[in-house]
Amino acid sequence: MTDIQLQTTTLSEAACRQFVADNQAGAIVMFSGTVRNQTQGKLVLRLEFEAYEPMAIAEMRKIAEQAIRQFDVLKISIHHRVGVLAIGEIPVVITVSAKHRQAAFAACQFCIDTLKQTVPIWKKEVFEDGAIWVAAHP
Amino acid sequence: MTDIQLQTTTLSEAACRQFVADNQAGAIVMFSGTVRNQTQGKLVLRLEFEAYEPMAIAEMRKIAEQAIRQFDVLKISIHHRVGVLAIGEIPVVITVSAKHRQAAFAACQFCIDTLKQTVPIWKKEVFEDGAIWVAAHP
Amino acid sequence: MKIKVLTFGVTRDIIGEDVLFLDLPAGSTVADVRTHLTERFPPIEKLASLMFAVNAEYATSEAQLAELDELALIPPVSGG
Amino acid sequence: MKIKVLTFGVTRDIIGEDVLFLDLPAGSTVADVRTHLTERFPPIEKLASLMFAVNAEYATSEAQLAELDELALIPPVSGG
C-alpha cells in the first residue's frame, strides 16, 4: 500500500508514520529531508520548490510501487512539498514499514535516491546575493 | 550531541525528532522498532522487555558516541522501552540528524545493529501456549 | 500540428514563459523540438542535462509528437 | 570475599533469583564464577552464549573479582 502526496502546506511526519503502521511490521524507517542553513559554506535564506505536479505524483507513485515489488516491505508513504520553505522545514518525508529492518532501510534509501533522480521537482536556493536552480548547470 | 533514555512509558517519536532538529541538518533518519503480531508464523500476544538498566544506558551512550565519531552526523537520540508491550507498540526509537542523508542512514543502521548485539536488554515473546526469551538457546 | 510546451525551473527562466505553443510539421519528434528551442533560446544548450516528458511520461528523443500533446522540459531535477 | 551476582532474562529463570550472593576465595575470576554456576545450575551450559559484566562493564573470563563487585550474567541480548 502506498500513500503519495504533493502538498503546498507543512508536511506531517505523524501522518506519514500513521499511514505505514501495520501489525505485521517490526520496523519503521522514516527519512525526512530538512532545509539546511548553508550549502557549500554559503548562507541559505530559503528554498523554493516547484513541480510538474501530475507527473511528479505519477513518478513518486512509480517509485513506491517499484520499492514494494523489490523489497519485502509492507507500506510506503512519500510526501513532498512545493512552495517556499524556511530553514528547518521539511521538503520530503519518506516512511516505510516492513517486517524486518534491513528491508525498511533499503527501501527507504531506494525511494529517496530514486526520487532525487527522476521526480520532476526543482529546487531554487535563495542566498543573500541571488538565487540558483540547483544542479541546472555543469 | 546525544540523548539516551530507558523508559517504562510509551516512547515519543516526536520528542526524539525534536531533539535531533538542527539548522545544519539536511537529513533526519528515524528507526522505530515495533512489536509484530507474529514471529516465525506463530501468533505473539505481547513482548516483555527487561534491562540491566545502568549498563544498558551506558552501552547505548557508547553506541551513540561511537556513531558520532564514526559518521558525519550532528545529533543522535536513542530511546528504549522496558516492561510489557502490546502489538504495534514501540520498543526502540533511534533518530539521527546529519548534513547529508548517507551518513544519517549509515549511523542509524549502525546504532540499531550494535544495540541488538551489545546492550543488555532482553525480550520475552509471549504466545498463547507459553513464552520464550528470544535467542537464549542455540 | 500544435503542441503545448511546459517550462520548469531554469528552463522557465531561460524561455521567460510558463507555457509555449509551437506549430510543428506533422511527424515532428522530441529531438526536433529540442533543435527548435536551442536555436531560439541558446542558453538551453548550457544545461547540465535536458530531458523531456510527453503527456507527463518521460520520452526519448525519437518519440513522435501528436496534435495537442503536452511536452514538458525537464532540466536536472532537484527534489528531496 | 563476597560478590553480588545479578541475573537477567533466561538466567533468572534458571537460577530462580534476581540476585545471588557468592562467597569466593580471594583472586577468583569471572571464569571461576562461570564454573561454579554451571555446576550448581547445569542448564546454564545450554545457553547460546553467556557473557559477564563486572560493575556494569563487559568483562573477560580472566577478569579478577574484588570484594563487593557486582557481577551480571548476560545471556544473549535481544533488545531493539
Side-chain angles (χ1 to χ4, degrees):
Chain A
M1 276 208 293
T2 65
D3 163 44
I4 308 300
Q5 293 189 37
L6 193 65
Q7 293 182 197
T8 56
T9 51
T10 305
L11 302 186
S12 165
E13 292 169 331
C16 298
R17 173 65 177 82
Q18 204 172 334
F19 175 82
V20 304
D22 191 305
N23 279 347
Q24 291 183 67
I28 312 282
V29 172
M30 176 183 289
F31 169 79
S32 304
T34 52
V35 178
R36 299 171 62 200
N37 62 5
Q38 52 181 303
T39 181
Q40 294 167 346
K42 214 171 160 190
L43 207 68
V44 172
L45 299 186
R46 62 178 186 276
L47 295 185
E48 296 176 12
F49 285 87
E50 67 174 47
Y52 179 19
E53 300 199 1
M55 183 175 170
I57 291 168
E59 291 292 324
M60 290 195 288
R61 182 164 294 122
K62 282 182 198 169
I63 292 168
E65 286 169 358
Q66 174 67 25
I68 296 257
R69 280 194 300 276
Q70 191 168 334
F71 302 95
D72 188 10
V73 298
L74 298 162
K75 294 177 182 163
I76 299 183
S77 166
I78 305 181
H79 288 197
H80 204 295
R81 186 158 164 204
V82 289
V84 177
L85 276 78
I87 305 306
E89 285 199 279
I90 305 171
V92 64
V93 181
I94 296 177
T95 314
V96 178
S97 57
K99 289 181 188 165
H100 302 291
R101 71 187 186 282
Q102 293 83 353
F105 275 112
C108 191
Q109 286 185 273
F110 167 82
C111 288
I112 181 61
D113 289 351
T114 310
L115 183 150
K116 283 176 175 273
Q117 287 162 12
T118 66
V119 177
I121 296 178
W122 298 272
K123 170 164 59 188
K124 185 191 260 184
E125 288 172 338
V126 181
F127 306 103
E128 283 176 315
D129 60 353
I132 58 158
W133 289 105
V134 174
H137 297 101
Chain B
M1 276 210 291
T2 64
D3 163 43
I4 309 300
Q5 294 190 36
L6 193 64
Q7 292 182 199
T8 56
T9 51
T10 305
L11 302 186
S12 165
E13 291 169 331
C16 298
R17 173 65 177 83
Q18 203 171 335
F19 175 82
V20 304
D22 192 304
N23 279 348
Q24 291 183 67
I28 312 282
V29 174
M30 175 182 289
F31 169 80
S32 304
T34 52
V35 178
R36 299 171 62 201
N37 63 3
Q38 52 181 304
T39 180
Q40 294 165 347
K42 216 172 158 188
L43 207 69
V44 172
L45 299 186
R46 63 178 186 276
L47 296 184
E48 297 176 10
F49 286 87
E50 66 174 47
Y52 179 19
E53 300 198 1
M55 183 174 168
I57 291 168
E59 291 292 324
M60 290 195 289
R61 182 165 293 122
K62 282 183 198 169
I63 292 168
E65 287 169 356
Q66 174 66 25
I68 296 259
R69 280 193 300 274
Q70 191 168 333
F71 302 95
D72 187 11
V73 298
L74 298 162
K75 293 178 183 163
I76 298 182
S77 166
I78 304 180
H79 289 197
H80 204 295
R81 184 155 166 208
V82 289
V84 177
L85 276 78
I87 306 306
E89 285 199 279
I90 305 170
V92 64
V93 182
I94 297 177
T95 315
V96 178
S97 56
K99 289 181 189 165
H100 302 291
R101 70 187 187 282
Q102 293 83 354
F105 275 112
C108 190
Q109 286 186 273
F110 167 82
C111 288
I112 182 61
D113 289 351
T114 311
L115 183 151
K116 283 176 175 274
Q117 288 162 11
T118 65
V119 177
I121 296 178
W122 297 272
K123 170 164 58 188
K124 185 191 261 183
E125 288 172 339
V126 181
F127 306 102
E128 283 176 315
D129 60 352
I132 58 157
W133 288 104
V134 174
H137 297 102
Chain C
M1 66 184 181
K2 287 206 165 53
I3 69 153
K4 180 178 179 181
V5 176
L6 303 181
T7 68
F8 294 99
V10 70
T11 63
R12 195 183 57 244
D13 290 354
I14 292 170
I15 290 173
E17 303 280 354
D18 284 4
V19 184
L20 206 63
F21 292 91
L22 299 182
D23 203 346
L24 302 172
S28 291
T29 63
V30 167
D32 295 329
V33 177
R34 177 195 278 269
T35 304
H36 171 88
L37 291 174
T38 307
E39 283 168 10
R40 204 164 141 195
F41 307 101
I44 289 277
E45 210 151 18
K46 292 188 183 144
L47 297 175
S49 81
L50 181 63
M51 299 212 280
F52 295 85
V54 176
N55 302 325
E57 289 276 352
Y58 279 110
T60 62
S61 297
E62 299 78 41
Q64 286 209 351
L65 297 165
E67 179 80 16
L68 299 179
D69 271 353
E70 181 175 285
L71 178 81
L73 308 190
I74 317 274
V77 301
S78 50
Chain D
M1 64 183 182
K2 286 205 165 52
I3 68 152
K4 182 179 180 179
V5 176
L6 303 182
T7 69
F8 294 99
V10 69
T11 63
R12 195 183 57 242
D13 291 353
I14 292 170
I15 289 173
E17 304 279 354
D18 283 6
V19 184
L20 205 67
F21 292 91
L22 298 181
D23 203 345
L24 302 171
S28 291
T29 63
V30 166
D32 295 330
V33 176
R34 177 195 277 270
T35 304
H36 170 87
L37 291 174
T38 306
E39 283 168 8
R40 205 165 140 193
F41 306 101
I44 289 277
E45 211 151 14
K46 293 187 184 145
L47 297 175
S49 81
L50 182 62
M51 299 212 278
F52 296 86
V54 176
N55 301 324
E57 289 276 352
Y58 279 108
T60 62
S61 298
E62 299 77 42
Q64 287 210 351
L65 297 165
E67 180 79 15
L68 301 179
D69 271 353
E70 182 176 283
L71 178 81
L73 307 190
I74 317 273
V77 300
S78 50

